[in-house]
Amino acid sequence: CFYCDWLIRAGVESGSGPGGIKVYIQPGTQDIEGLATNFGTFSELDLTCWAEIYSYIDDPENGTLLYEDNITNIDLDVPLGGTETLVFDDFNFADEGIYGLFLDMPNEDDDKPNNNDAAWGIGVDDTDAVSSHALDPATPDGDNNWYVSDVEVTLDAYDPEVLGVSSGVKEMKYKVDGGTTQTIVGNHGTFVLDTDKDNLPVEYWAIDNVGNEESHHTFTIDMDQTDPLIDMTYEWENNPGSDGGWLMTFNATATDATSKMDRVEFYLNDVLQDTVTGPGPTYIWQFVYHGGLKITIKATGFDKAGNNKYDEIVDPESFNINTNSQKLVQKSVEILGL
């Protein structure tokens, strides 16, 4: 009683012969080896094992014989488990598709002749996996096509079936901003983008189970989650006009590192008075103040992504504004953040 198994030097998966692929490989030349085992209770000598390889690409039903080889003078001296490795000629699996490898070791004295034959289905996969991405939020949630919140990236991939062969997706890889390559095992996974940058680049690709690697995909987003910086001072002088009072000049210095500045809005007691647009960093607003009114001046800076921060000056009259002073410069003693 003999059992004839074989192996091909590649990754092995479960299957049941040419009708059910047992191993997937890339195109190329492979070593063909077999293992003969003696499960009987006596020695068997001078045996022969034949090997054939069929292609099922052009004739899916019957196959086309491409390869024949045999090994003679096989001696299984040791009963109950003795083995011998059978090294056949190698074979070039040149084309994508399904192949079958068949081994036959006949023995007239075998009590169990059915285990003298072995058959494996081989899938040659030469097609790249295909991957795609989706973003959440799907579109920028800030101004001017900028993201102002974290973005979840979902990657999905599949391995197309060509001529009955698909080895499946092994993994997907990605890099953010040219950094370290990260790996997602399988054909689905997510990661989060949270880096402030204009044109933040993301690169990703899929690899199937035999090592086919698709062309890399790239996309970019604009992300700015950081508020701008703003600081406000003021000056005053006697109003040169006929209606008296004081000419108040408020100077806001505002900067933003990523999306850059868009505008500064000036408020008097929370009522919008003026909007000064431009890249800054200096934004100026003036008005004539006649006194006798508790006031709060607030300057709110907005970057191009829509992030904002404010500085305010509460009750400038408390800083001893009077008609006997020609000019006085004061800085806010209090900065209120967001």
Side-chain angles (χ1 to χ4, degrees):
C1 177
F2 304 100
Y3 172 73
C4 189
D5 196 6
W6 69 277
L7 61 89
I8 188 167
R9 290 177 180 171
V12 176
E13 297 182 2
S14 62
S16 58
I21 297 173
K22 192 170 185 179
V23 62
Y24 291 91
I25 60 174
Q26 288 181 313
T29 300
Q30 300 287 343
D31 295 332
I32 309 297
E33 295 185 2
L35 183 67
T37 302
N38 187 347
F39 287 117
T41 57
F42 52 87
S43 298
E44 282 292 344
L45 306 176
D46 197 25
L47 300 173
T48 299
C49 185
W50 282 267
E52 294 180 339
I53 296 177
Y54 283 78
S55 166
Y56 292 88
I57 298 171
D58 297 323
D59 187 349
E61 183 175 352
N62 300 309
T64 302
L65 179 63
L66 301 180
Y67 166 101
E68 291 181 287
D69 193 17
N70 67 82
I71 296 175
T72 60
N73 300 317
I74 302 169
D75 293 330
L76 298 176
D77 302 288
V78 181
L80 300 176
T83 63
E84 182 174 337
T85 299
L86 310 178
V87 180
F88 297 93
D89 289 340
D90 57 20
F91 178 74
N92 181 20
F93 294 88
D95 300 314
E96 186 169 37
I98 298 176
Y99 297 76
L101 174 59
F102 301 89
L103 298 181
D104 180 29
M105 182 183 287
N107 180 17
E108 295 178 356
D109 298 326
D110 195 348
D111 292 332
K112 295 183 179 180
N114 292 334
N115 68 351
N116 290 351
D117 296 323
W120 270 29
I122 305 165
V124 178
D125 187 352
D126 195 29
T127 300
D128 295 338
V130 178
S131 62
S132 61
H133 75 276
L135 305 180
D136 184 18
T139 57
D141 55 350
D143 297 338
N144 301 302
N145 291 317
W146 285 83
Y147 280 97
V148 295
S149 62
D150 289 354
V151 176
E152 183 179 73
V153 182
T154 299
L155 298 184
D156 285 289
Y158 70 97
D159 193 37
E161 182 176 300
V162 178
L163 297 173
V165 176
S166 172
S167 63
V169 177
K170 177 183 178 182
E171 60 192 9
M172 298 176 293
K173 294 183 177 291
Y174 67 91
K175 291 196 293 187
V176 178
D177 200 16
T180 303
T181 299
Q182 305 295 324
T183 300
I184 296 173
V185 177
N187 66 347
H188 175 83
T190 63
F191 60 94
V192 174
L193 302 177
D194 57 3
T195 302
D196 284 6
K197 188 167 185 175
D198 182 11
N199 289 320
L200 176 67
V202 180
E203 180 181 2
Y204 68 92
W205 61 98
I207 302 172
D208 68 17
N209 278 298
V210 298
N212 294 313
E213 180 177 315
E214 71 169 332
S215 298
H216 294 200
H217 304 276
T218 58
F219 68 90
T220 62
I221 66 170
D222 296 331
M223 177 170 285
D224 185 356
Q225 300 190 60
T226 304
D227 295 330
L229 301 176
I230 187 166
D231 182 72
M232 181 169 57
T233 62
Y234 75 92
E235 301 173 345
W236 69 271
E237 58 185 319
N238 291 328
N239 180 25
S242 59
D243 56 348
W246 300 274
L247 179 63
M248 308 291 294
T249 301
F250 293 87
N251 298 281
T253 301
T255 58
D256 185 79
T258 305
S259 61
K260 308 307 180 184
M261 290 303 299
D262 180 71
R263 67 191 186 277
V264 170
E265 298 176 352
F266 290 92
Y267 293 80
L268 170 61
N269 290 346
D270 291 324
V271 178
L272 179 63
Q273 303 296 312
D274 193 16
T275 300
V276 183
T277 61
T282 301
Y283 302 83
I284 298 173
W285 176 62
Q286 294 179 317
F287 83 107
V288 177
Y289 179 51
H290 292 279
L293 176 67
K294 298 291 185 180
I295 64 172
T296 296
I297 304 298
K298 181 169 70 175
T300 303
F302 293 82
D303 63 22
K304 289 186 179 296
N307 302 302
N308 66 87
K309 192 173 184 178
Y310 70 85
D311 188 13
E312 67 180 11
I313 297 173
V314 179
D315 196 7
E317 190 175 7
S318 65
F319 292 101
N320 298 317
I321 299 175
N322 59 76
T323 55
N324 295 323
S325 298
Q326 294 301 309
K327 190 172 184 180
L328 177 66
V329 178
Q330 289 285 355
K331 185 179 186 305
S332 168
V333 297
E334 182 180 16
I335 296 177
L336 298 181
L338 292 175

